[in-house]
Amino acid sequence: MTTATTGPEAARTAKAAGAAGSAGKPKPATMAQALQRAMRDAMAEDPTVHVMGEDVGTLGGVFRVTDGLAKEFGEDRCTDTPLAEAGILGAAVGMAMYGLRPVVEMQFDAFAYPAFEQLISHVAKMRNRTRGAMPMPIVIRVPYGGGIGGVEHHSDSSEAYYMATPGLHVVTPATVEDAYGLLRAAIASDDPVVFLEPKRLYWSKSDWSPEAPAPVEPIGKAVVRRRGTGATLITYGPSVPVCLEAAEAAQAEGWDLEVVDLRSLVPFDDETVCASVRRTGRAVVVHESTGFAGPGAEIAARVTERCFHHLEAPVLRVAGFDIPYPPPMLERHHLPGVDRILDAVARLQWEAQS
């Protein structure tokens, strides 16, 4: 026979039980924390991994993504550099040639432009130039995209430039889990990787555990984030949560939308993307970059070439407007949102079903 516990003892018992019940539950982690942990784990496992960039050491980066690395590994392995992007990336090329694995941070998306000569002439071509004898294991971390109220040169979506440069891998996570898994894969790669980090998702959270991170799909694989039957939303990075929100809102209109997160822009996963479009028969590509000659143009062309006889309507695009990035007060009109996505879905010739 048991007796009921009351009063202060009952409160203490309940508190202890609650603590025990929550002990095994992972504490929510942000994307920024997952990225920091990925670099920290890679540096701990491999002494050739070096982090470098403007303010990455003492400050821990503008977004605090490298916080604590200099203290743990020393300034020789987490190094503050001068404000000279071409010099930063040029130094990384030399480091990689001599057996190191540099992880370079370009503080903001448009700050990377002065380093393009190094990127295109050397980073992207060195392995091919040496017939594979000299790998280029450089990761170039680029905080990119809008949604944080940044001014000019702080909110660009530059992915089309990198995608159009043969020799580079280009990846962008949309989840905390992918932030860790893709960055670890990028650091381990012997090919140069442009790692695009969506700034507005730095503070998104997940019950991800740094002590036992769940495995994720490798570089080069897309993932279906939401199953649907009516149309496919093809997207990546900061536009993934927007598309998931649009897919939920679309149910009120009777549209069952599938959402594909590309994760990897180069290599591109034609298999997963086209399998989805063949199932649904319709597709909309969504991204923040400009529409003209943007990533969506290439994606729409690939889908059309491979899925033409399965399409019920032309592949449509929802993108940033073909203008320089607008002032903060106007960015909400520039960035693809739920309403613009649903407007595109409405133009997918649904009358063909009747």
Side-chain angles (χ1 to χ4, degrees):
M1 180 178 178
T2 59
T3 57
T5 304
T6 60
E9 184 178 352
R12 287 193 296 270
T13 302
K15 183 177 181 180
S22 62
K25 184 178 180 180
K27 183 179 179 180
T30 66
M31 179 178 286
Q33 290 171 329
L35 293 166
Q36 189 272 355
R37 184 58 183 254
M39 286 183 280
R40 185 250 173 207
D41 289 352
M43 295 174 79
E45 294 175 13
D46 185 352
T48 68
V49 177
H50 288 243
V51 172
M52 56 192 296
E54 299 164 5
D55 297 320
V56 300
T58 303
L59 182 65
V62 170
F63 298 100
R64 305 300 186 267
V65 177
T66 56
D67 189 37
L69 296 182
K71 182 177 180 180
E72 181 171 356
F73 297 100
E75 294 181 359
D76 287 343
R77 292 190 60 201
C78 183
T79 307
D80 283 330
T81 66
L83 305 182
E85 286 77 14
I88 297 169
L89 193 52
V93 171
M95 293 167 68
M97 292 173 70
Y98 279 86
L100 299 180
R101 309 186 82 87
V103 180
V104 174
E105 177 180 302
M106 297 293 173
Q107 199 169 72
F108 282 92
D109 31 59
F111 290 13
Y113 299 157
F116 260 60
E117 197 280 327
Q118 293 286 353
L119 180 77
I120 295 170
S121 296
H122 303 297
V123 175
K125 293 182 172 62
M126 189 65 72
R127 197 168 193 187
N128 181 73
R129 183 182 299 152
T130 60
R131 298 185 180 181
M134 185 171 288
M136 226 0 62
I138 299 176
V139 177
I140 305 163
R141 295 180 42 244
V142 183
Y144 85 117
I148 66 165
V151 296
E152 185 182 5
H153 296 306
H154 293 73
S155 298
D156 282 13
S157 293
S158 315
E159 54 268 35
Y161 302 142
Y162 304 114
M163 292 172 66
T165 304
L168 301 176
H169 288 181
V170 184
V171 301
T172 178
T175 68
V176 174
E177 293 78 6
D178 267 353
Y180 179 88
L182 285 175
L183 185 52
R184 288 301 306 271
I187 295 172
S189 174
D190 283 338
D191 287 309
V193 180
V194 177
F195 196 89
L196 300 170
E197 300 172 2
K199 292 192 291 289
R200 65 163 139 167
L201 298 186
Y202 271 149
W203 302 278
S204 60
K205 292 184 178 181
S206 168
D207 289 336
W208 170 82
S209 171
E211 306 307 326
V216 299
E217 292 291 334
I219 292 173
K221 292 293 292 182
V223 170
V224 177
R225 297 291 181 196
R226 185 188 190 277
R227 292 284 179 179
T229 59
T232 300
L233 301 181
I234 306 168
T235 188
Y236 56 86
S239 295
V240 170
V242 181
C243 285
L244 289 171
E245 183 182 353
E248 291 301 315
Q251 292 181 309
E253 303 293 336
W255 300 320
D256 184 19
L257 304 183
E258 184 153 298
V259 178
V260 176
D261 176 4
L262 295 176
R263 303 171 70 251
S264 175
L265 302 177
V266 181
F268 189 84
D269 186 359
D270 289 300
E271 182 179 357
T272 299
V273 171
C274 292
S276 174
V277 175
R278 289 175 186 135
R279 284 195 304 270
T280 65
R282 294 174 172 83
V284 178
V285 187
V286 182
H287 58 64
E288 292 187 11
S289 184
T290 55
F292 184 81
E298 172 64 23
I299 296 167
R302 298 179 80 87
V303 169
T304 301
E305 289 171 355
R306 291 162 175 78
C307 306
F308 182 78
H309 294 290
H310 297 266
L311 290 171
E312 301 288 343
V315 179
L316 301 181
R317 291 173 288 165
V318 179
F321 298 124
D322 297 331
I323 59 172
Y325 199 84
M329 293 294 289
L330 299 176
E331 70 174 359
R332 70 185 185 279
H333 302 294
H334 176 76
L335 298 173
V338 170
D339 289 343
R340 286 178 60 195
I341 294 171
L342 295 182
D343 286 345
V345 172
R347 292 188 284 115
L348 288 174
Q349 299 182 7
W350 297 97
E351 64 274 8
Q353 290 184 339
S354 58

